[in-house]
Amino acid sequence: MSPGLSLGQLRPELAHPVASKDPEEEGDGEQHGSPELPPTGPLLGSWHQNVNLTWKSSPEEGAARAWTTFYYNLLQSCLQQAGLPETVDRSLEPHPGCPGVEVTICVLGSPSSFFSVLLEGGAQSPGNLLLCLSPSWLTKVPMAGKPGESALLVSKAVTFHPGGLTFLEEFAPPRRVTYFLGELGPKAGRGREVAELSRDLGCPMGSSAELVRLLENRLLTRQLLAQGDKVVVPTTLALTYKPPQQLRGQAWTQSLRQVELSDKEGQEGLVEEEVEAFLRLGALGDAHQVAVKPSGWRWRGSQAMSLHPRSEAGAVVRAVLALLEKLEEEESVLVEAVCPPARILPPDAPGKLAIRVCAVVCRTQGDRPLMSQMVCSVGRPEQPLRHQVALTQSLDAALAACGLSEPATVEALRHRVQEAAEGALGAVLEFEASLSPEQRGGRHAQTDVLGVDLALTPMGPGGSLSPVLLELNSCLCLEACGLLEGQWARRGQRSQWAAAGPLVETMLRRSARHLMEGKHLLVVGAGGYSKKFVWEAARDYGLKLHLVESDPNHFASQLVQTFIHFDVTEHRRDEENARHLAELVRARGLQLDGCLSYWDDCLVLTALLCKELGLRGCPPAAMSLAKQKSQTQSHLLRCRSPRWPAPSLYAVPCCPLEVPEDVERAARLVPLPGVMKLEFGAGAVGVRLVDDASQCRAHFAKISQDLQGEADHPGIGLGWGNAMLLMEFVAGTEHDVDVVIFSGRLLGAFVSDNGPTRLPGFTETAACMPTGLAPEREAQLIQAAYQCCLGCGLLDGVFNVEMKLTAAGPRLIEINPRMGGFYLRDWIQELYGVDLLLAAAMVACGIPPALPAQPRARACLVGVMCVVSQHLQALSSTASREALQALHERGLIRLNLLEEELVPGEYEEPYCSIACSGINPTEARHRLLGLCQGLGIDSPNYPVAHFLSHFK
């Protein structure tokens, strides 16, 4: 370690970053980017000083070294105030990196600004979120095959882990960044260095200097927000010196007027005329004050704002002219109405209060805005409320100070704030979509998190409080929300949504896409219509798919890189077929990163093929064990693990049935009533409740006659034969547990609830996600599903485990050793932002998916299945495919089509799933029931209310 970087030799009085100086105090604008030492002041606390902050390949001197030390001290102060242990220095023992096969989210900037992001990232994805305290810890290198783009390598960083544990580590070889988030700005510190590092990166970025420059131009953002009345903004007069291209030729609203100035001098007459006309506008409403402030990226964080009575036009003109002298091209002076403060309702209250709301909005799955958190600051109206100088509190507490504590009133205002904040990000995303990659600052640059500052002001005849948007920022609101969350955490409380939660999910999702882009995967079996999304998603993710399929005319054959026509339906020859397929793959010279199947029928063949090709996958014996239902249960019943609870606790007694004599024996051994099903079946085809031995014999004979081979019902596993099994009927509620396992470690689990089936059959009728179970019960199901998979040897993959929850605990119905079918992938992606399809592909390529450790659903989905035998008339009229698709596009339902044609049959599978969303199961259930009644899906023979009765 270089002695020059010992913390004990540097100034101990280093303090938190303070607000940037007023440009009037700084003199010439060129000084905004000049190198300066970090702020000074006392940092109270004690932590180890002898810390290795240098990077041997890029030593720092002077101001750069001071900033690195300052940020380390600031991080320790943040940890200390949050009640967390100080950072442990492990940099003398380099951590072995795995370039290209692990998620690496890199944050470069002030630890206080990103503290909530760092803690949330450490909790959701341990060790994958890195804080760089110095640009020298990062290196840019050209990307192979991508001219003009660079990869970013991390050689040193602070890593974050659950419980707030942090470690200072070095990486040999360096880790390749899969997502970059930096603190960008034009002033002293690291802003300009961050901008240089982020330019032309080939990995996803949370922003760029170009986007921040646009985002923090108050005039530009107000013009975007005012268009179409998406968000209410203060009535504003803008005097612009040579406006940017985006502001030229725009149509201006009544609340926003721009005056273009050709020069900064000799404008006194025009300024006086425009200001006096503006102050007389009726659009200013009850505003008694106006604010004069500069607009432009160079003025970011400045306090060059002044307040003036609306009646004093001369003072306003002088303030405008004083700022006008300092403008540069594309900058503006804004004169805006100051929102009237809130009225304090108690009669003996001394006056009025100004309330400022600070909201964090994140880009989520499907580029949709989601407000994750909001906090408030309260103060006297004569003093502007600013970030980092006003205390934060919850909306409830702020409104209570104004005498507003009625829950309905508070909730209504919360909803209006959310609409305004999400509308702001929506407008920004729409604007960004119109920009070229060069204008955005790179092909991978986009705004993933937005801070939205709003004032709550009386509006309308009743004077009720409403939000008015003041400005947008990059991370100030994120810091403010994190401070309040820290206060709650110290009291043992946790909000439903951490401010940074959706942002971390977006980081993980974009990192996964980046890692998988261009990967070559062999997919065995194209599947039916319900798997159509596989090919659409692969194109979206940039995957290179090579398909093995029996049907030479399958529509997917035209959507892949390579199509191999091969009969995969005769599963008694799977071992031989796997050898032949491996030879075909080698003969074609395919360089594969992974091999997998999403189709029940081809899972064992895929496992054998992976073994032949030396690719990652479950052992064929484990896949065969999971695929044969009676063997799954029998094996687990014998599985006496030394670790308790053993998988045997979850298994259910059963007997295989191949010949009629097996039926008689099974009826004596298995307690009745029982359940009969196909040994290798899928989709609940042929599953039936039997009460006695005579029903067992009758059902066995019927299945033996009706379902003899693949041609009788393709895709349900008849290529292995039509053997059956009898298992004990287990009373309780039914649930699906979709798990992601990598190298035997459980990385993610998602639990859904199923409604009662239409006995004596077991075709699914209804479902709800997330589960309505108590957390303890949910944890029991996850543990049981995980243990059953491990017990069968399923150590790598995405698996769907069907469970019953009894009074005595979970019991296993069966393991589907592939991604959950029907609607499950779509629902999990919608509610949690996690794509099981991509997770399965990552596992197949040997890349551990970085999933949220504690996923939290954004809403609730309740759905019902439609079957042709009961809904043919409705599906041909009121609930036609076109009508349902129209409802889906309007956001009124979530539609998952599972079959292409309306074909009735005795052994049917669901035609489609229709779901409604709500903030809780009750709301979603009521919406769905009303819709099903209106569409004709609900009927005496198909009582939707009964099927939804479990979701109260």
Side-chain angles (χ1 to χ4, degrees), residues 288-366:
H288 297 291
Q289 287 183 306
V290 295
V292 179
K293 60 177 69 170
S295 171
W297 191 44
R298 190 172 59 96
W299 298 86
R300 178 191 184 204
S302 74
Q303 299 179 21
M305 181 183 78
S306 57
L307 296 179
H308 306 274
R310 180 179 174 184
S311 57
E312 297 182 4
V316 176
V317 170
R318 287 192 293 274
V320 170
L321 292 173
L323 279 177
L324 185 58
E325 294 178 357
K326 301 176 182 180
L327 291 191
E328 295 181 356
E329 291 186 10
E330 301 189 352
E331 295 180 345
S332 307
V333 177
L334 306 184
V335 183
E336 67 180 38
V338 174
C339 297
R343 298 179 176 87
I344 301 179
L345 297 185
D348 58 347
K352 300 179 179 180
L353 291 177
I355 304 179
R356 182 163 175 151
V357 178
C358 180
V360 172
V361 194
C362 303
R363 182 198 295 252
T364 61
Q365 179 72 36

Side-chain angles (χ1 to χ4, degrees), residues 34-50:
S34 61
E36 294 180 3
L37 290 173
T40 60
L43 266 178
L44 302 179
S46 175
W47 44 82
H48 287 91
Q49 299 293 303
N50 190 27

Side-chain angles (χ1 to χ4, degrees), residues 119 127 165 187 192 198 269 273 430-431 438 448 519 567 609 666 702 709 797 816 858 898 908 921 931 949:
L119 289 184
L165 298 179
K187 300 184 181 176
R192 299 185 71 175
S198 64
E273 178 184 347
E430 184 179 341
F431 172 65
E438 292 75 20
D448 285 335
K519 289 283 189 286
D567 185 6
L609 183 56
K702 181 172 178 55
N816 298 306
R858 297 181 178 82
L898 308 175
E908 66 180 351
L931 187 114
S949 60

Side-chain angles (χ1 to χ4, degrees), residues 15-19 38-39 43 67-78 106-119 129-135 158 160 180-185 188-191 194 300 388 475-476 478-479:
H16 290 280
V18 295
L43 266 178
W67 274 104
T68 303
T69 307
F70 166 69
Y71 279 151
Y72 183 84
N73 276 308
L74 184 55
L75 172 61
Q76 303 316 304
S77 178
C78 292
C106 177
V107 174
L108 177 59
S110 169
S112 62
S113 298
F114 295 111
F115 194 60
S116 62
V117 181
L118 299 165
L119 289 184
L129 197 138
L130 282 57
L131 170 66
C132 283
L133 301 175
S134 168
V158 177
F160 284 72
F180 181 69
L181 181 64
E183 188 171 24
L184 294 149
R190 296 292 166 80
V194 173
R300 178 191 184 204
Q388 299 178 327
C475 56
L476 290 175
L478 195 60
E479 181 179 14

Side-chain angles (χ1 to χ4, degrees), residues 117-172:
V117 181
L118 299 165
L119 289 184
E120 186 68 18
Q124 290 199 33
S125 187
N128 290 323
L129 197 138
L130 282 57
L131 170 66
C132 283
L133 301 175
S134 168
S136 67
W137 296 2
L138 292 157
T139 307
K140 287 177 71 173
V141 296
M143 288 189 71
K146 294 187 178 179
E149 292 189 355
S150 300
L152 198 58
L153 305 179
V154 184
S155 299
K156 188 167 191 161
V158 177
T159 60
F160 284 72
H161 300 263
L165 298 179
T166 56
F167 301 95
L168 179 62
E169 302 193 69
E170 292 186 0
F171 306 101

Side-chain angles (χ1 to χ4, degrees), residues 826 883-896:
D826 179 54
L884 294 177
Q885 192 66 46
L887 291 172
H888 176 85
E889 291 172 358
R890 291 171 57 192
L892 298 177
I893 67 169
R894 191 146 198 95
L895 174 66
N896 293 100

